[in-house]
Amino acid sequence: NAGVTQTPKFQVLKTGQSMTLQCAQDMNHNSMYWYRQDPGMGLRLIYYSASEGTTDKGEVPNGYNVSRLNKREFSLRLESAAPSQTSVYFCASSAVDRDTQYFGPGTRLTVL
Amino acid sequence: GNSVTQMEGPVTLSEEAFLTINCTYTATGYPSLFWYVQYPGEGLQLLLKATKADDKGSNKGFEATYRKETTSFHLEKGSVQVSDSAVYFCALRSGGSYIPTFGRGTSLIVHP
C-alpha cells in the first residue's frame, strides 16, 4: 500500500496564479483532511471531508476550495494565490472518528 | 472546546539522556490520545496512542500513559539517540468528532 500520496512535492507560484494540490489514499478511509503547517503555528486545519460527498471548513478556509472527487481523492484548490499561502500543505486520512490519522509527505508551496 | 498544551521547545539533549515531553489536554468525554513524530522534510506519522484511561502506549522505546486524573499524556524515553531528533506532536480525538486537536509541536535535538 502506498498510504497517502500527494502531488506535487514542490511548487512555486506567482501571486494571482491558481493551482490544485492532489491527494489520494488507498486505505479505504472515510475521512480526509487538508492542513497547512507554518513555523511556530503548528498544524492548522483548512478543510476536511468526513465522508465521500461531504466537505466542511476547518480553522483557516479562506482562499481555498476543496473537492472530494471520490472516496480515494481529495483535492485542494487555490484560485488566486497570495504570498500568505506560502506554506507546507499536508493531506491526511482516517478510518473513523477517534482513530489514527495517516499523513502524506507534504507539498511545499512558495507564492512570490 | 478541546485543547492540547505541550511544552515549548526546542528540547536539546545529549545522546543516551532521558527524555520527557509534557502534554496536557482539555476534552469532553473520553478522547483517544496520540503522539505523532515528524522527521525533517516528512509528514507526521503515528508514534504511539492510548484509547482509555491508564492505557500505556509504547513504540521504539517511547512510552506515554493516559492519565485521566491529571489530564496528561507525557512522552518519555529512557535513552535518546541522534536519530530521535524530530518534532513531536501530542494530539487527541474525541468520540463523535471528525476534527482532531493537535498541540503546537515540540522540537527535539539530540547531540552525539
Side-chain angles (χ1 to χ4, degrees):
Chain A
N1 286 349
V4 179
T5 57
Q6 293 183 235
T7 56
K9 290 187 177 180
F10 300 92
Q11 185 70 49
V12 178
L13 293 178
K14 295 181 180 178
T15 297
Q17 287 185 316
S18 62
M19 79 162 294
T20 299
L21 282 64
Q22 306 287 354
C23 173
Q25 52 90 10
D26 62 2
M27 296 172 282
N28 201 37
H29 285 169
N30 289 318
S31 302
M32 297 185 74
Y33 306 78
W34 276 106
Y35 293 91
R36 60 179 289 173
Q37 185 177 33
D38 303 290
M41 302 294 291
L43 284 174
R44 292 185 290 173
L45 183 65
I46 304 171
Y47 272 93
Y48 69 101
S49 171
S51 60
E52 186 180 357
T54 69
T55 60
D56 286 285
K57 295 178 180 179
E59 180 185 355
V60 288
N62 291 346
Y64 305 95
N65 286 299
V66 291
S67 296
R68 183 75 184 265
L69 304 170
N70 47 55
K71 193 170 186 178
R72 289 188 64 249
E73 299 172 289
F74 188 40
S75 63
L76 178 72
R77 182 160 179 83
L78 287 69
E79 291 290 352
S80 179
S84 60
Q85 294 178 305
T86 294
S87 187
V88 182
Y89 292 86
F90 290 101
C91 178
S93 70
S94 66
V96 294
D97 64 333
R98 301 185 80 232
D99 201 2
T100 303
Q101 285 197 308
Y102 294 83
F103 285 80
T107 295
R108 284 143 185 85
L109 175 67
T110 300
V111 183
L112 302 176
Chain B
N2 296 341
S3 68
V4 173
T5 302
Q6 56 182 111
M7 59 192 294
E8 298 214 7
V11 173
T12 304
L13 296 172
S14 297
E15 204 165 26
E16 300 184 2
F18 184 85
L19 168 70
T20 300
I21 300 178
N22 291 335
C23 172
T24 57
Y25 68 90
T26 303
T28 54
Y30 303 95
S32 294
L33 301 176
F34 305 83
W35 276 102
Y36 290 85
V37 59
Q38 183 180 29
Y39 298 104
E42 299 183 8
L44 281 70
Q45 57 185 271
L46 178 70
L47 180 59
L48 54 84
K49 70 178 183 181
T51 59
K52 61 183 188 295
D54 300 324
D55 268 3
K56 178 183 284 188
S58 61
N59 186 27
K60 300 181 181 180
F62 291 89
E63 58 182 34
T65 301
Y66 189 140
R67 301 285 188 199
K68 189 164 171 49
E69 64 277 11
T70 55
T71 62
S72 64
F73 192 55
H74 304 321
L75 182 68
E76 296 182 337
K77 187 175 185 183
S79 176
V80 294
Q81 305 301 310
V82 172
S83 58
D84 293 326
S85 298
V87 180
Y88 294 81
F89 291 88
C90 185
L92 70 83
R93 296 195 70 174
S94 292
S97 171
Y98 291 97
I99 303 176
T101 302
F102 284 87
R104 288 281 185 97
T106 301
S107 174
L108 171 65
I109 300 169
V110 181
H111 293 293

